[in-house]
Amino acid sequence: MGGEVTSGLRRAVWERVLTEEEAEAALRDLLELPLTLTSDGEIAMQALSWAGRLQQKRAYDAFYVALADQRGAVFWSADRRLVETLRQQGFSRARWIGEI
């Protein structure tokens, strides 16, 4: 998780969406949340399957989809195309952040 979030925050700074200070504050806030990290073989297998179903070159998004699927959680994304593809695949708990 840390690598993905840190990379996203860095990209936001690069694109001048956030300042360095805002990115650092956001990362500090995130690190203070009482999160439970997960990493197991079953999630990896499901992610590989989802990446294939989504016809993705890499499995980054698929890990998050697999985790949401396993936990019965809603999957939120800023990637509208991904959400539409998930819905076409029958994943009804996919939500685009623009729907808020």
Side-chain angles (χ1 to χ4, degrees):
M1 177 206 62
E4 291 291 323
V5 172
T6 303
S7 293
L9 289 169
R10 179 63 199 142
R11 181 176 177 183
V13 170
W14 180 264
E15 294 176 356
R16 300 182 195 273
V17 174
L18 295 174
T19 65
E20 293 272 352
E21 294 78 19
E22 290 169 330
E24 290 171 7
L27 186 55
R28 268 194 300 278
D29 289 346
L30 177 68
L31 293 172
E32 291 177 7
L33 291 174
L35 300 174
T36 302
L37 302 180
T38 183
S39 178
D40 66 32
E42 184 61 30
I43 291 292
M45 294 301 291
Q46 289 177 0
L48 187 61
S49 175
W50 272 111
R53 290 170 65 183
L54 297 169
Q55 298 183 346
Q56 293 182 323
K57 182 178 179 178
R58 294 182 175 89
Y60 294 120
D61 292 336
F63 269 94
Y64 299 110
V65 173
L67 184 59
D69 194 22
Q70 184 186 65
R71 302 269 171 105
V74 175
F75 173 81
W76 286 92
S77 178
D79 185 339
R80 188 177 201 167
R81 194 175 94 202
L82 173 60
V83 169
E84 290 172 3
T85 302
L86 283 166
R87 289 176 178 168
Q88 291 170 1
Q89 290 289 324
F91 192 85
S92 61
R93 293 181 318 276
R95 302 286 185 277
W96 176 58
I97 62 170
E99 296 171 344
I100 295 176

